Each structure stands twice: as C-alpha cells, then as structure tokens.
Amino acid sequence: MATEKQPTVIKKYANRRLYHTGTSTYVTLEDLAGMVRQGEDFLVYDAKSGDDITRSVLTQIIFEQENKEGQNLLPVTVLRQLIRFYGDSMQALVPSYLEFSMNNLSQEQQKLRDQMSTAFGAGAFQAMEEQVRKNMGFFTEAMRMFSPFPGGVPGTNGSKAPTAPEQEQGAGDLDALKRQMADMQAKLDKLAGK
C-alpha cells in the first residue's frame, strides 16, 4: 500500500524569515516558488501562533512574480474581476471554477508539449535556432562581400581616415566592384530574358 508524501513544513518567524523544517535551512520566497514549480507541496505556519498562513505566503509569491519584468500572468481586467467577486453571491463558486480551469489548462499544456515533441522531435527548436544562426552568418558574409571597404567604412567606429595611397586603392577596389556589379546585372538581365 503506497503512502502519500506529507507536505513539507515551513515556519515563518516574526523577523519574516522562512525556515524549511525538512532541510533545517532558511529559505526565500523564490526558493518556495521553485518548490511549487517542482511539484513539492508545503504548508507554512506562523512560528509563534501556529496558524496556517500558506495561502498568504502563496499570494505573496504570486505578487513577487507579477512584479518581475515580463512575468505578468494576471491581466489587470482579471485582477479587477477577482476583486469584484469578493463579497458577491458568486464568491462561493469562484474557487472551484478557478481550480477546475487551472487543472484543465495544465492538462492541455502537457498535451500541447507532447504534440509539439511528436510533430517536430525533441530537438526541433534547437535545430531551428541553429538554422537561424547559420542564415545570419551567410547574410553577414554576403554583406561583407558587397562592402566597398574591406574593413568596413573608413572613419567610423574609431578607424582612421584613409591616406592618399589607401584612397587610390579604395578607388580601384570601387571600380572593380562596379565592374562586378555590371557583370552580375548583365547576367541577371540575360536570365530574366529566358
């Protein structure tokens, strides 16, 4: 007969420090958020009174996550609607509705991940990223070939202005580039005429 694992006990002291009784160490809200992400259950008790304050600590974790840049999950409209439900006749239905909705979302999330993995393979996204890097390398190399100045534009990015011999060489390079461009244009015109 399998026994269900008991939740970890966290004690919150008056100095606002959180003590993990399983590891005998102090933890932060970020540590508790990590435990939630890993599926580890815990209960938080006020060390002095013994009151269960798990709900307020979880709410505090959500508050901290919502204040991080780019971490917003709860749109302002949802927050306002939640506030409107407090004291409303529908208040009793909201917790079970939210729990049901979040469970369904979690199940669908895993299904979507599985479908993506099946359709594209486990390394599909890494392969796409690698292809993007290669394409950028080809593009950079192509742009370098068409630059009239081998080291970039003289006089910019801290480089010195060209001397008279360098200018003559640059003019020769520019003439050669113009010839190459004219040859390529002629070839394109010929191909377009076919």
Side-chain angles (χ1 to χ4, degrees):
M1 181 176 229
T3 59
E4 193 173 310
K5 185 180 176 191
Q6 294 296 314
T8 301
V9 174
I10 308 292
K11 291 184 179 181
K12 186 171 185 180
Y13 289 93
N15 62 3
R16 301 179 67 198
R17 294 193 70 185
L18 299 162
Y19 184 75
H20 188 300
T21 59
T23 60
S24 300
T25 59
Y26 286 101
V27 293
T28 64
L29 288 175
E30 191 62 38
D31 295 329
L32 295 180
M35 290 170 64
V36 170
R37 287 185 197 101
Q38 294 171 1
E40 186 176 342
D41 284 334
F42 58 84
L43 295 172
V44 183
Y45 294 101
D46 182 282
K48 186 176 181 182
S49 68
D51 293 339
D52 183 346
I53 57 171
T54 306
R55 180 184 308 274
S56 65
V57 170
L58 291 172
T59 305
Q60 190 175 0
I61 291 170
I62 291 171
F63 178 77
E64 295 281 326
Q65 295 297 312
E66 284 289 314
N67 282 324
K68 289 183 179 179
E69 190 70 29
Q71 294 273 339
N72 305 101
L73 285 179
L74 300 171
V76 172
T77 55
V78 171
L79 293 171
R80 287 184 179 156
Q81 190 60 49
L82 281 173
I83 292 168
R84 285 185 193 111
F85 280 125
Y86 285 98
D88 188 273
S89 61
M90 299 293 287
Q91 181 176 342
L93 298 175
V94 172
S96 58
Y97 175 78
L98 290 175
E99 187 174 359
F100 176 78
S101 298
M102 291 303 291
N103 285 338
N104 280 340
L105 178 63
S106 294
Q107 290 171 0
E108 292 302 316
Q109 177 185 13
Q110 188 57 46
K111 284 181 188 175
L112 180 61
R113 285 181 179 159
D114 292 344
Q115 288 173 350
M116 293 292 283
S117 179
T118 301
F120 298 112
F125 294 109
Q126 291 88 354
M128 285 192 296
E129 287 177 6
E130 184 60 32
Q131 188 60 46
V132 168
R133 280 191 208 97
K134 286 180 183 178
N135 289 347
M136 285 304 294
F138 291 140
F139 177 75
T140 303
E141 193 61 35
M143 292 306 294
R144 193 173 298 138
M145 286 176 26
F146 289 110
S147 176
F149 305 104
V153 179
T156 61
N157 297 331
S159 63
K160 62 183 179 88
T163 61
E166 288 173 336
Q167 284 178 339
E168 288 175 19
Q169 181 186 2
D173 289 344
L174 188 57
D175 289 338
L177 184 61
K178 285 180 183 178
R179 282 192 302 277
Q180 288 176 348
M181 291 295 287
D183 290 343
M184 286 194 318
Q185 185 63 46
K187 288 178 184 177
L188 286 172
D189 290 342
K190 186 177 179 181
L191 287 172
K194 285 185 176 179

